[in-house]
Amino acid sequence: MRLSGAEITIQCLQEEGVEFVFGYPGGAVLYIYDALFSQDKVRHILVRHEQAALHAADAYARASGRCGVALVTSGPGVTNAVTGIATAYMDSIPMVIISGQVPTPAIGLDAFQEVDTVGITRPCVKHNFLVKNVDDLAVTIKKAFYVAMSGRPGPVLVDIPKDVSQHMAEFSYPKSVTMRSYNPVTKGHSGQIKKAVQMLLEAKRPMIYAGGGVILGNGSEQLTRLVKRLGYPCTNTLMGLGAYPATDPQFVGMLGMHGTYEANLAMQNCDVLLAIGARFDDRVIGNPEHFCSQERRIVHVDIDPSSISKRVRVDVPIVGNIVDVLDEMQKHLDASEVKPDAVALKDWWKQIDAWRARDCLKYDRNSPIIKPQYVVEKLYEVTHGDAIITSDVGQHQMWAAQYYKFDKPRRWLNSGGLGTMGFGLPAAMGAQMAFPDATVACVTGEASIQMCIQELSTCKQYHLPVKIVNLNNRYLGMVRQWQQILHGNRYSESYMDALPDFVKLAESYGHVGFKIENPADVEPILREAFALKDRVVFMDFITDQTENVFPMVKAGKGLSEMLLGSEDL
Amino acid sequence: MIMENNTSMRHILSLLLENESGALSRVAGLFSARGYNIESLTVAPTEDPTLSRMTIVTSGSQEVIEQITKQVNKLIDVVKVFDLNEGRYIERELMLVKVRAEGSEREELKRTADIFRGRVIDVTDRTYTIELTGPRDKLDAFLEAIDRSQILETVRTGASGIGRGEWILRV
């Protein structure tokens, strides 16, 4: 079958079972858009800015576990997409990005809308390709999906010059593809797994620390079984929330810079640590020197060998697929006659419960001004803990992570690695596309939401009834908090004047808007909003401007050196 | 944490990578993005034209070198990576050096070049161009052995390395 490069591109997406392509047309991709037009298997979602296309495709992947697909034109199409590509790269999200390029004879001649796409995106993709010959197109797209989805996932970009999308070639889609330079490890080393289990059983003060890798590797069930069986405490990273059920008593909360008192102290004081799909990053362990000043043995399971012993040296490295490794651990536990040390474990839990009794997430519930934490708590109640929650970046993100209890994976979608403001609203769209019947809410702030506010229009066009929970404190809250704590209350450029009337703004896009200023109205409005199942509702909560996120580990400090409240400032 | 207290050592990494446009910049970009040192980098196609062989001379503690190796291995275009310092190896570098050679200097320079098994490959009545091959320190030693003010221009390829004996790096 002879097809044009553009038709081949769309055929490949069909063969991969792609449901949605998030994109924005332009000169270099006109043939590809033409090929999209004459078929109805792959549905295109027209966003209002390429960054949003990437975030929506990314969140579609995060929520569904499938590969996200975005389509952008050359030049500014690509540069606008870069933030979204880097966001996905930092969080290891599988995505294929198709970008248009100027025709091959024009490459390098500073043509209209030309940029060196492969060069610009190189540091923030798992891999990228420039297809110079239409005969290579199908196999390159096959490789792109394979690389994006296998091993440690990540975004892969395929740059297609306009003439390549126009040229004809014989089309056949390869069933599978092998690459001599790319063979991701899947099975963990049996000897190491056995050693790890022995070490875990010898623990007096064990701790299990699970990150986003557990969610990406679909290992929540295995993790939960292992933690339950051992009776050990478990913490999740910001990226790992939902990997272990938050309402379970063995869950000690999120750890890290804004982690709970009990999670951080258990992490610091444990004698055996099992790290799974996590990478000991600066927001999780704080100062590595301080972290390592306490002696403990560490088992680290990850699919990416370069994540192991990068910031913290570990004793038992296990490179492999999380599901397989955890299953094998279970088998060793079945076979082992040694049981966890019940006496030591009881003492350890007594200690942890004492830390927990500090109730580090308490806040003033009698405030006459709306507390942001209260809004998230009520959001949790009203949605029965069953919504997909997206967030932007800042204080609201931390409050959502602390107060919404995620019992299932793929329900909490946020930009943990890159920390991209503007992620929340397009992410909510992507999640809603993946699950049209799910309740999807975007917890955001008045600053973040304005970075991709134009997507309210996309929500209207595609009837995506996402709910926006805007925690409006008129400040770049997290910046203000750091300025208060670390920069002598000098609030340099963190106050936002001249905010729009969000209610009218929502209405102008054809949505419903509410402004909420009284704590007593929080719950009724949330109920009213979520009852409007087929509408986008923008809830503008006017919250306490001075509220800070606690606990807090200041940058460069150790995990146990937490500020627990304003009394610690 | 990763203790940086063990001393920084010079390592020679040998890579086999796909001979594709962009492969070199992926490796070079990785080194600059992650702040790794590159003392030298050489690359050329092998007997199999689809593969290139790259030699990178870098330095760092054992932990840093381990991280570099892992990161390089992670690049999709890289087929194999080997740290030559893990075994016995041979290292060679080619240097072309143009020196001022006038009067009595000519004889002296020729003698020094002979001692270092160098060859004079181009001559004018005022200059010699000398070709010299060897490990880095031999080339350094030659430059130290001649009068510094005589050196007009030096070109060095950077090291190429290969394992000793029957140890082979190939696909």
Side-chain angles (χ1 to χ4, degrees):
Chain A
M1 185 168 44
R2 275 188 88 71
L3 296 176
S4 72
E7 289 163 336
I8 288 172
T9 305
I10 301 305
Q11 281 282 334
C12 289
L13 299 184
Q14 291 182 357
E15 294 276 350
E16 287 292 335
V18 173
E19 293 179 281
F20 302 110
V21 173
F22 299 86
Y24 205 101
V29 283
L30 278 174
Y31 289 108
I32 297 174
Y33 272 84
D34 204 34
L36 258 175
F37 189 75
S38 47
Q39 56 87 52
D40 55 8
K41 282 192 187 146
V42 178
R43 203 172 150 211
H44 182 270
I45 309 301
L46 175 66
V47 294
R48 302 296 180 261
H49 186 289
E50 286 88 351
Q51 182 186 346
L54 271 292
H55 291 330
D58 168 324
Y60 169 85
R62 290 180 202 238
S64 70
R66 310 181 66 187
C67 193
V69 179
L71 171 59
V72 298
T73 194
S74 65
V78 165
T79 54
N80 278 347
V82 166
T83 300
I85 299 172
T87 303
Y89 181 65
M90 282 293 271
D91 292 343
S92 308
I93 306 303
M95 277 215 286
V96 169
I97 304 105
I98 310 272
S99 59
Q101 182 54 280
V102 300
T104 43
I107 289 178
L109 301 177
D110 302 318
F112 177 65
Q113 294 196 326
E114 179 186 3
V115 291
D116 173 12
T117 299
V118 165
I120 284 179
T121 59
R122 188 183 303 119
C124 58
V125 291
K126 184 171 174 185
H127 197 55
N128 57 20
F129 300 93
L130 169 63
V131 184
K132 285 185 176 163
N133 187 332
V134 69
D135 294 326
D136 301 332
L137 186 55
V139 70
T140 304
I141 294 176
K142 181 76 198 175
K143 279 183 187 170
F145 277 93
Y146 168 58
V147 172
M149 294 290 287
S150 54
R152 180 180 181 171
V156 178
L157 180 140
V158 183
D159 200 26
I160 306 177
K162 189 169 186 178
D163 55 332
V164 172
S165 70
Q166 189 187 10
H167 291 159
M168 305 295 285
E170 193 60 32
F171 174 69
S172 70
Y173 198 60
K175 285 221 161 30
S176 66
V177 69
T178 54
M179 296 163 75
R180 64 178 170 188
S181 60
Y182 177 67
N183 300 292
V185 175
T186 52
K187 209 179 162 312
H189 188 279
S190 289
Q192 292 286 85
I193 295 174
K194 198 167 171 192
K195 212 159 115 190
V197 169
Q198 279 168 2
M199 200 176 271
L200 278 171
L201 289 171
E202 286 161 15
K204 306 284 178 212
R205 299 183 312 277
M207 179 70 166
I208 295 174
Y209 147 58
V214 176
I215 293 175
L216 293 166
N218 297 313
S220 292
E221 214 187 294
Q222 282 77 5
L223 170 71
T224 308
R225 222 172 33 229
L226 183 79
V227 175
K228 286 268 144 209
R229 170 172 194 159
L230 289 168
Y232 293 174
C234 179
T235 180
N236 285 338
T237 66
L238 178 68
M239 291 308 298
L241 292 175
Y244 188 83
T247 53
D248 187 90
Q250 277 171 252
F251 186 63
V252 293
M254 178 175 79
L255 84 166
M257 182 170 267
H258 295 296
T260 64
Y261 189 63
E262 52 271 31
N264 284 349
L265 288 182
M267 183 80 172
Q268 183 70 18
N269 292 292
C270 66
D271 70 339
V272 173
L273 177 65
L274 171 61
I276 313 171
R279 56 190 177 92
F280 295 90
D281 79 273
D282 55 313
R283 287 304 196 257
V284 164
I285 59 159
N287 182 340
E289 215 162 315
H290 182 278
F291 181 69
C292 294
S293 63
Q294 192 91 11
E295 221 169 280
R296 67 176 84 65
R297 290 183 295 169
I298 303 177
V299 177
H300 192 175
V301 184
D302 205 285
I303 192 123
D304 176 7
S306 73
S307 281
I308 295 178
S309 292
K310 184 167 71 176
R311 296 191 79 232
V312 170
R313 180 139 287 275
V314 305
D315 303 279
V316 183
I318 302 170
V319 177
N321 186 328
I322 290 198
V323 169
D324 296 341
V325 172
L326 294 187
D327 277 345
E328 206 174 326
M329 281 189 171
Q330 287 282 359
K331 277 189 205 133
H332 285 296
L333 282 174
D334 290 340
S336 173
E337 283 170 15
V338 187
K339 298 282 166 245
D341 183 340
V343 177
L345 198 55
K346 203 174 155 207
D347 285 347
W348 179 226
W349 271 113
K350 216 171 118 191
Q351 173 66 73
I352 291 171
D353 287 337
W355 289 328
R356 207 178 237 165
R358 286 287 295 260
D359 191 12
C360 68
L361 295 180
K362 63 177 179 286
Y363 62 91
D364 178 12
R365 285 164 197 280
N366 300 316
S367 163
I369 312 166
I370 297 175
K371 289 288 183 182
Q373 300 96 322
Y374 179 72
V375 178
V376 178
E377 276 187 349
K378 288 294 156 191
L379 172 68
Y380 174 74
E381 283 176 33
V382 168
T383 57
H384 312 292
D386 211 24
I388 297 175
I389 304 292
T390 73
S391 90
D392 279 293
V393 171
Q395 286 184 318
H396 67 268
Q397 177 191 25
M398 292 301 116
W399 285 316
Q402 289 175 329
Y403 294 88
Y404 200 99
K405 300 185 208 50
F406 294 94
D407 277 342
K408 289 181 190 158
R410 302 190 183 278
R411 296 290 178 86
W412 164 240
L413 318 179
N414 84 128
S415 168
L418 194 68
T420 308
M421 291 169 75
F423 178 80
L425 178 56
M429 300 180 339
Q432 191 80 76
M433 294 301 309
F435 296 103
D437 299 326
T439 301
V440 179
C442 164
V443 176
T444 183
E446 80 289 347
S448 281
I449 191 69
Q450 291 191 80
M451 286 210 182
C452 270
I453 192 85
Q454 74 286 347
E455 297 308 315
L456 285 172
S457 174
T458 314
C459 291
K460 183 70 183 169
Q461 183 170 345
Y462 296 95
H463 312 292
L464 301 169
V466 304
K467 305 294 183 280
I468 297 160
V469 176
N470 189 38
L471 303 176
N472 183 344
N473 59 6
R474 285 79 73 210
Y475 270 105
L476 307 183
M478 193 58 92
V479 174
R480 189 205 54 73
Q481 176 169 342
W482 281 51
Q483 288 172 336
Q484 180 191 346
I485 296 172
L486 299 159
H487 296 273
N489 298 305
R490 291 181 298 279
Y491 298 139
S492 177
E493 302 298 323
S494 54
Y495 180 72
M496 240 183 213
D497 211 343
L499 287 171
D501 178 333
F502 287 108
V503 173
K504 281 190 188 156
L505 181 77
E507 286 169 355
S508 78
Y509 279 106
H511 303 314
V512 178
F514 294 120
K515 183 173 182 174
I516 308 98
E517 295 180 272
N518 187 335
D521 295 332
V522 170
E523 190 178 335
I525 292 288
L526 281 166
R527 290 203 183 280
E528 191 180 340
F530 283 94
L532 294 168
K533 293 221 173 289
D534 55 349
R535 298 299 296 276
V536 172
V537 183
F538 194 116
M539 289 162 271
D540 186 21
F541 293 95
I542 307 302
T543 61
D544 188 345
Q545 292 193 291
T546 62
E547 192 61 37
N548 287 330
V549 180
F550 291 112
M552 177 183 183
V553 178
K554 290 198 272 186
K557 290 282 182 185
L559 261 190
S560 55
E561 301 171 309
M562 275 169 279
L563 305 174
L564 287 179
S566 40
E567 64 279 6
D568 285 349
L569 297 181
Chain B
M1 73 177 288
I2 304 298
M3 293 298 177
E4 295 285 350
N5 55 9
N6 60 352
T7 43
S8 177
M9 258 187 58
R10 180 172 181 269
H11 282 252
I12 303 189
L13 303 182
S14 265
L15 281 68
L16 278 176
L17 63 164
E18 297 290 349
N19 183 13
E20 275 174 20
S21 70
L24 164 64
S25 52
R26 284 180 214 280
V27 178
L30 171 71
F31 273 73
S32 62
R34 293 192 182 264
Y36 304 142
N37 297 315
I38 297 186
E39 184 189 298
S40 69
L41 184 159
T42 68
V43 61
T46 64
E47 78 285 0
D48 171 356
T50 66
L51 280 174
S52 291
R53 172 78 174 241
M54 185 182 278
T55 306
I56 301 175
V57 181
T58 182
S59 58
S61 64
Q62 200 54 48
E63 281 81 9
V64 168
I65 299 295
E66 184 185 323
Q67 188 58 216
I68 292 176
T69 310
K70 286 173 171 178
Q71 292 290 350
V72 169
N73 230 332
K74 210 162 107 173
L75 294 172
I76 306 290
D77 282 339
V78 172
V79 185
K80 277 194 178 162
V81 187
F82 189 75
D83 180 355
L84 287 180
N85 293 53
E86 284 182 18
R88 295 163 64 218
Y89 65 93
I90 302 162
E91 168 194 353
R92 287 291 180 273
E93 181 176 358
L94 169 68
M95 175 167 73
L96 303 177
V97 53
K98 193 173 286 181
V99 289
R100 195 190 66 232
E102 289 172 317
S104 62
E105 289 173 344
R106 293 177 81 85
E107 197 45 39
E108 178 62 22
L109 272 167
K110 179 76 174 65
R111 251 201 313 274
T112 313
D114 286 343
I115 290 167
F116 282 85
R117 303 212 196 310
R119 293 196 302 150
V120 177
I121 54 171
D122 190 39
V123 181
T124 71
D125 47 8
R126 287 196 297 188
T127 65
Y128 276 160
T129 300
I130 299 166
E131 172 194 319
L132 207 64
T133 308
R136 179 185 64 165
D137 53 349
K138 175 181 155 184
L139 307 192
D140 291 344
F142 176 77
L143 292 178
E144 282 161 25
I146 61 175
D147 181 355
R148 208 168 178 79
S149 70
Q150 290 180 295
I151 302 172
L152 301 173
E153 193 178 349
T154 58
V155 184
R156 297 174 69 151
T157 59
S160 288
I162 195 164
R164 276 194 186 273
E166 292 183 22
W167 186 86
I168 289 161
L169 178 67
R170 62 184 305 165
V171 176

